[in-house]
Amino acid sequence: MLKSPISLDFNWGSFTQVIDKAPVQIHERLVEQGSLTALLKSQSSSFRVGVLGEQPLVPPQYIREALGEQTELAICREVLLFCDEQPHVYAQSWISLEANEHGLQNLGDKPLGEKLFEQSIWHRGELEVSCVDDLQARAQLCELFGVEESPVFARRSVFTKGSAKVLVCEIFNSEIINK
């Protein structure tokens, strides 16, 4: 059973820390500075967003550290990004209430990334990557992806517009990319 939201309490760092562990097929996705949605759309004949949940929550401490300690409540959005009907990416975003007021509310099955990149007023912070070392999180992700237990890699960054912030974390299905 999926524990929602999936914990993102990983060891985050630079791409050089995971380059030797990550399959070469996902290197491009881990370091993409532009819209991941645009990249996925360009690499598949069909793309869609499957919403797993979207709800206001008190962020755990490690999320508050990324968004700013003053964040007492944020919208947690969990989605699967499907390419050619295969789940390629689990994305979890934490949208501050202030950011939600900047056109990010009620997205439904529309990609958050498109909104952030179509509005050039959002500034993307440093990209961090991780090899998912939390066994429970990795098991949940493999279950969502419909694959056997395998290494899972993630990236995250914070988008800001003034004091409004959005933490976007994308976790990649390494198995599907190898096919």
Side-chain angles (χ1 to χ4, degrees):
M1 172 136 175
L2 179 66
K3 179 183 170 230
S4 186
I6 293 174
S7 173
L8 303 177
D9 193 10
F10 310 146
N11 293 314
W12 295 98
S14 70
F15 179 66
T16 56
Q17 293 175 293
V18 299
I19 190 170
D20 294 335
K21 299 177 191 171
V24 83
Q25 297 90 337
I26 68 166
H27 286 186
E28 177 185 24
R29 294 178 182 190
L30 284 170
V31 299
E32 173 62 42
Q33 292 293 323
S35 167
L36 179 64
T37 299
L39 178 65
L40 293 174
K41 284 182 173 182
S42 75
Q43 295 177 343
S44 60
S45 49
S46 71
F47 174 87
R48 72 178 174 88
V49 175
V51 179
L52 301 172
E54 187 168 334
Q55 59 186 324
L57 293 173
V58 174
Q61 181 62 32
Y62 64 90
I63 298 293
R64 284 199 311 274
E65 288 170 4
L67 286 176
E69 291 293 332
Q70 73 282 3
T71 305
E72 294 179 21
L73 193 65
I75 306 301
C76 178
R77 176 176 162 89
E78 295 178 281
V79 300
L80 281 175
L81 304 180
F82 290 87
C83 295
D84 301 322
E85 293 307 309
Q86 299 295 316
H88 277 242
V89 177
Y90 164 82
Q92 185 182 120
S93 302
W94 289 83
I95 305 165
S96 72
L97 297 182
E98 185 177 350
N100 199 47
E101 299 302 317
H102 291 284
L104 302 181
Q105 71 275 13
N106 303 320
L107 290 174
D109 62 359
K110 295 185 177 42
L112 172 62
E114 280 186 349
K115 283 286 199 186
L116 293 171
F117 281 96
E118 78 183 13
Q119 300 177 12
S120 59
I121 48 181
W122 287 97
H123 169 73
R124 181 183 214 160
E126 182 182 346
L127 199 58
E128 296 178 291
V129 297
S130 179
C131 178
V132 177
D133 50 9
D134 180 286
L135 296 178
Q136 182 179 3
R138 189 169 61 222
Q140 287 180 284
L141 291 159
C142 288
E143 181 181 337
L144 272 177
F145 292 143
V147 299
E148 295 297 318
E149 184 74 19
S150 64
V152 179
F153 297 87
R155 69 182 204 160
R156 74 176 186 177
S157 58
V158 175
F159 290 81
T160 57
K161 177 182 178 185
S163 60
K165 293 184 179 184
V166 180
L167 172 66
V168 177
C169 178
E170 296 143 332
I171 303 175
F172 301 93
N173 180 351
S174 300
E175 294 297 310
I176 201 80
I177 296 167
N178 291 328
K179 292 181 182 178

